[in-house]
Amino acid sequence: MPPASDAWRRIYAVVRRIPRGRVATYGQVAWVAGLPRQARLVGYAMHAAGESTTVPWHRVVNASGGISARAEGPGGSVLQRLRLEREGVGFDTRGRIPLERYGWRPRGWPPPRERAD
DNA sequence: ACTGGGGCTAACC
DNA sequence: GGGTTAGCCCCAG
Protein backbone atom coordinates (compact mmCIF):
# COMPACT_ATOMS: atom_id res chain seq x y z
CA MET A 1 0.00 0.00 0.00
CA PRO A 2 1.29 3.49 -0.85
CA PRO A 3 1.95 6.09 1.83
CA ALA A 4 -1.29 7.79 2.79
CA SER A 5 0.32 11.18 2.55
CA ASP A 6 -1.63 14.19 1.41
CA ALA A 7 0.63 14.59 -1.61
CA TRP A 8 -0.22 11.15 -2.90
CA ARG A 9 -3.91 11.67 -2.48
CA ARG A 10 -3.71 14.91 -4.39
CA ILE A 11 -1.81 13.21 -7.16
CA TYR A 12 -4.42 10.50 -7.48
CA ALA A 13 -7.17 13.12 -7.42
CA VAL A 14 -5.58 14.89 -10.37
CA VAL A 15 -5.00 11.71 -12.34
CA ARG A 16 -8.64 10.81 -11.86
CA ARG A 17 -9.54 14.10 -13.54
CA ILE A 18 -7.71 13.29 -16.76
CA PRO A 19 -10.42 12.81 -19.38
CA ARG A 20 -10.76 9.60 -21.30
CA GLY A 21 -8.81 9.69 -24.55
CA ARG A 22 -6.33 12.21 -23.17
CA VAL A 23 -2.97 11.97 -21.49
CA ALA A 24 -1.01 14.08 -19.04
CA THR A 25 2.69 14.11 -18.27
CA TYR A 26 4.17 13.32 -14.88
CA GLY A 27 5.37 16.85 -14.46
CA GLN A 28 2.00 18.22 -15.47
CA VAL A 29 0.17 16.10 -12.95
CA ALA A 30 2.58 17.22 -10.27
CA TRP A 31 2.09 20.85 -11.17
CA VAL A 32 -1.69 20.67 -11.30
CA ALA A 33 -1.67 18.85 -7.97
CA GLY A 34 0.17 21.79 -6.49
CA LEU A 35 3.43 19.87 -6.26
CA PRO A 36 5.74 21.48 -8.80
CA ARG A 37 9.01 19.70 -9.63
CA GLN A 38 7.80 16.48 -8.10
CA ALA A 39 7.27 14.55 -11.29
CA ARG A 40 9.23 11.62 -9.93
CA LEU A 41 6.92 11.39 -6.99
CA VAL A 42 4.07 11.08 -9.44
CA GLY A 43 5.84 8.24 -11.16
CA TYR A 44 6.39 6.64 -7.82
CA ALA A 45 2.75 7.03 -6.95
CA MET A 46 1.65 5.56 -10.27
CA HIS A 47 3.85 2.59 -9.65
CA ALA A 48 2.07 1.98 -6.38
CA ALA A 49 -1.33 2.74 -7.90
CA GLY A 50 -1.15 -0.29 -10.11
CA GLU A 51 -2.68 -2.20 -7.24
CA SER A 52 -5.79 -0.06 -7.08
CA THR A 53 -7.76 0.11 -10.31
CA THR A 54 -9.56 3.24 -9.18
CA VAL A 55 -7.03 5.54 -10.80
CA PRO A 56 -6.37 5.74 -14.57
CA TRP A 57 -2.62 5.49 -14.20
CA HIS A 58 -2.26 4.63 -17.88
CA ARG A 59 -3.13 8.22 -18.85
CA VAL A 60 0.11 9.49 -17.40
CA VAL A 61 3.09 9.50 -19.74
CA ASN A 62 6.50 11.17 -19.82
CA ALA A 63 7.24 14.62 -21.20
CA SER A 64 8.15 13.20 -24.60
CA GLY A 65 4.74 11.63 -25.02
CA GLY A 66 6.26 8.21 -24.59
CA ILE A 67 5.54 5.43 -22.16
CA SER A 68 8.21 5.18 -19.53
CA ALA A 69 9.87 1.89 -18.76
CA ARG A 70 9.29 0.61 -15.28
CA ALA A 71 11.15 -1.59 -12.87
CA GLU A 72 8.73 -4.49 -13.24
CA GLY A 73 9.49 -4.98 -16.89
CA PRO A 74 7.91 -4.26 -20.28
CA GLY A 75 4.60 -5.92 -19.49
CA GLY A 76 3.04 -2.90 -17.88
CA SER A 77 4.15 -0.60 -20.66
CA VAL A 78 2.40 -2.77 -23.20
CA LEU A 79 -0.76 -2.82 -21.12
CA GLN A 80 -0.63 0.95 -20.82
CA ARG A 81 -0.39 1.42 -24.55
CA LEU A 82 -3.21 -1.03 -25.15
CA ARG A 83 -5.45 0.78 -22.71
CA LEU A 84 -4.72 4.13 -24.31
CA GLU A 85 -5.34 2.90 -27.83
CA ARG A 86 -8.60 1.44 -26.65
CA GLU A 87 -9.56 4.96 -25.53
CA GLY A 88 -8.72 6.39 -28.91
CA VAL A 89 -5.30 7.80 -28.13
CA GLY A 90 -3.08 7.61 -31.18
CA PHE A 91 0.62 6.86 -31.37
CA ASP A 92 3.02 7.98 -34.06
CA THR A 93 5.31 5.63 -35.91
CA ARG A 94 7.90 6.03 -33.18
CA GLY A 95 5.47 4.85 -30.54
CA ARG A 96 4.93 8.26 -29.06
CA ILE A 97 1.78 10.24 -28.44
CA PRO A 98 1.41 13.65 -30.13
CA LEU A 99 0.78 15.69 -27.02
CA GLU A 100 -0.43 18.70 -29.00
CA ARG A 101 -3.34 16.54 -30.00
CA TYR A 102 -3.99 14.16 -27.13
CA GLY A 103 -2.47 16.10 -24.27
CA TRP A 104 -4.76 17.17 -21.45
CA ARG A 105 -5.14 20.93 -21.12
CA PRO A 106 -6.68 21.80 -17.77
CA ARG A 107 -7.38 25.38 -16.82
CA GLY A 108 -4.28 27.38 -16.11
CA TRP A 109 -2.10 25.14 -18.19
CA PRO A 110 0.67 25.74 -19.06
CA PRO A 111 1.96 27.38 -15.90
CA PRO A 112 3.51 30.85 -16.13
CA ARG A 113 7.28 30.83 -16.19
CA GLU A 114 8.66 31.87 -12.85
CA ARG A 115 11.49 34.40 -12.81
CA ALA A 116 11.67 34.46 -16.56
CA ASP A 117 12.69 38.07 -16.99
C1' DA B 1 21.02 11.53 9.75
C1' DC B 2 22.85 9.32 5.29
C1' DT B 3 22.71 6.84 0.97
C1' DG B 4 20.86 5.07 -2.99
C1' DG B 5 17.13 5.09 -6.42
C1' DG B 6 13.08 6.16 -8.83
C1' DG B 7 7.26 4.80 -14.53
C1' DC B 8 11.01 12.60 -14.38
C1' DT B 9 12.92 16.91 -16.78
C1' DA B 10 15.31 20.67 -18.74
C1' DA B 11 19.68 21.75 -20.41
C1' DC B 12 23.66 20.59 -23.17
C1' DC B 13 26.33 18.41 -26.40
C1' DG C 1 16.38 14.33 -32.86
C1' DG C 2 18.96 11.00 -29.79
C1' DG C 3 22.40 10.32 -25.84
C1' DT C 4 24.27 12.17 -21.55
C1' DT C 5 24.52 15.09 -17.30
C1' DA C 6 22.69 17.50 -13.62
C1' DG C 7 19.03 18.82 -10.74
C1' DC C 8 14.81 17.54 -8.51
C1' DC C 9 12.44 15.74 -3.97
C1' DC C 10 10.45 11.98 -1.67
C1' DC C 11 10.62 7.18 -0.13
C1' DA C 12 12.82 2.97 1.73
C1' DG C 13 16.75 0.78 3.85
Side-chain angles (χ1 to χ4, degrees):
Chain A
M1 224 0 220
S5 70
D6 184 61
W8 284 52
R9 270 176 289 150
R10 285 207 257 168
I11 288 170
Y12 290 139
V14 170
V15 174
R16 269 189 274 260
R17 287 218 291 283
I18 304 173
R20 214 167 163 284
R22 296 251 157 194
V23 296
T25 67
Y26 295 96
Q28 179 180 14
V29 169
W31 187 88
V32 174
L35 305 164
R37 317 271 146 38
Q38 293 189 205
R40 308 191 75 159
L41 180 60
V42 174
Y44 204 83
M46 291 306 101
H47 171 72
E51 306 164 2
S52 68
T53 323
T54 63
V55 67
W57 54 269
H58 57 282
R59 297 187 189 137
V60 185
V61 300
N62 64 40
S64 306
I67 295 181
S68 297
R70 58 210 46 176
E72 308 136 6
S77 303
V78 175
L79 173 61
Q80 181 169 10
R81 170 158 182 166
L82 252 32
R83 283 201 186 190
L84 288 175
E85 290 182 322
R86 196 177 58 185
E87 294 185 353
V89 174
F91 288 74
D92 63 17
T93 52
R94 293 240 243 47
R96 302 201 310 203
I97 302 164
L99 295 180
E100 64 277 5
R101 179 170 173 184
Y102 298 104
W104 180 39
R105 297 164 215 264
R107 241 172 54 85
W109 187 259
R113 293 247 283 108
E114 45 192 275
R115 297 294 69 236
D117 54 336

